[in-house]
Amino acid sequence: MTKSRPQIGIIGGSGLYSLFTDAREEFPDTPYGKASAALTIGRLGGREVAFLPRHGRHHQYAPHGINYRANVWSLQAAGVQQIIGVGAVGSLTPSIPPGSLVVPDQLVDRTTSRVQTYFDCPRVAHASFADPYCPTGRRTALQAAEKCGWPPVDGGVQVVIEGPRFSTRAESQWYAAQGWSTIGMTAHPEVVLARELGLCYTPLSLVTDLDAGVEEGNGVTQHEVMEAFATSLGRLHGVLDELVPLLAEERECACASLRPGAL
């Protein structure tokens, strides 16, 4: 019997394992080594979905040490065409408090050491990246969150830093002064790799804290972030339950056509 291939992939934390029914595991081969973990494939909202914990099953990979190329490639190899990227972020403004759900529309890369392309020499290609996220996926995510009674923040700029440390107060204040709204460590190069493969990428950013420069205090701690994320897991599950069946089975966006060809 031929197994069905999941069209939708979710990348996020290990707490999302409980989403699925009738789950199985697959570990697709990639030219880039092993992904962070095996894919867990199961049913969600009547659809076949593949889940990948980006930090590994035991959170053993720091943001700068994740094999992003293998992760995104493994999802495509399994049949995924649309990726939902779930991540914890800090807020750079009091107007977006902890507990908010943000669906950003822009990204700024401040990482320093990550391989961020499939086009190693001598293959050369230049991906169109003016609008990083799938516009159709974003609209659908906003709709799903509203249906769940969790009014989302529509749009905003997420700045991605190298990590694993959090920002200094001066760095945080500088990011905020640019008008950027949230800060995280994993959205890049995940989304650009999806673009290079012609995949849709829809972000769901959960605000766990106010970043170091936003208010006085001791700054962000790992415990604070993990605790806040765990507290909102139930609400995230609800949004994903609504979002997955709403995503179109036949894509009408331009994401697939934006996949660049090697020169």
Side-chain angles (χ1 to χ4, degrees), residues 3-4 6 17 20-28 36-43 48-53 56-58 74 78:
K3 293 178 181 177
S4 58
Y17 273 115
F20 302 101
T21 59
D22 302 323
R24 67 181 189 274
E25 288 191 349
E26 292 185 10
F27 220 137
S36 296
L39 302 180
T40 300
I41 300 176
R43 305 287 295 178
E48 196 86 351
V49 175
F51 169 69
L52 177 65
R57 291 215 166 171
H58 307 290
S74 69

Side-chain angles (χ1 to χ4, degrees), residues 2-10 20 24-26 28 39-44 46-52 72-83 199 244 247-249 251:
T2 303
K3 293 178 181 177
S4 58
R5 288 164 62 82
Q7 291 185 326
I8 298 169
I10 299 173
F20 302 101
R24 67 181 189 274
E25 288 191 349
E26 292 185 10
L39 302 180
T40 300
I41 300 176
R43 305 287 295 178
L44 179 65
R47 306 278 294 275
E48 196 86 351
V49 175
F51 169 69
L52 177 65
V72 177
W73 189 279
S74 69
L75 288 167
Q76 185 212 37
V80 167
Q81 298 178 7
Q82 304 182 67
I83 294 175
L199 307 178
V244 166
L247 289 171
E249 295 193 21
R251 294 190 290 168

Side-chain angles (χ1 to χ4, degrees), residues 125-165:
H126 306 280
S128 176
F129 205 57
D131 298 297
Y133 303 113
C134 175
T136 304
R138 284 193 67 259
R139 286 195 300 270
T140 309
L142 294 167
Q143 178 185 351
E146 290 284 1
K147 288 182 68 175
C148 290
W150 193 2
V153 177
D154 180 1
V157 180
Q158 181 176 167
V159 56
V160 185
I161 61 173
E162 183 72 3
R165 70 168 177 86

Side-chain angles (χ1 to χ4, degrees), residues 184-206:
M185 299 181 187
T186 56
H188 186 87
E190 208 168 80
V191 60
V192 72
L193 294 170
R195 174 60 51 83
E196 287 191 347
L197 294 180
L199 307 178
C200 299
Y201 190 102
T202 299
L204 290 178
S205 299
L206 171 64

Side-chain angles (χ1 to χ4, degrees), residues 98 208-210 215 219-230:
T208 57
D209 58 272
L210 291 174
E215 61 178 11
V220 186
T221 68
Q222 178 176 319
H223 175 75
E224 176 187 2
V225 170
M226 301 298 283
E227 186 175 57
F229 193 85

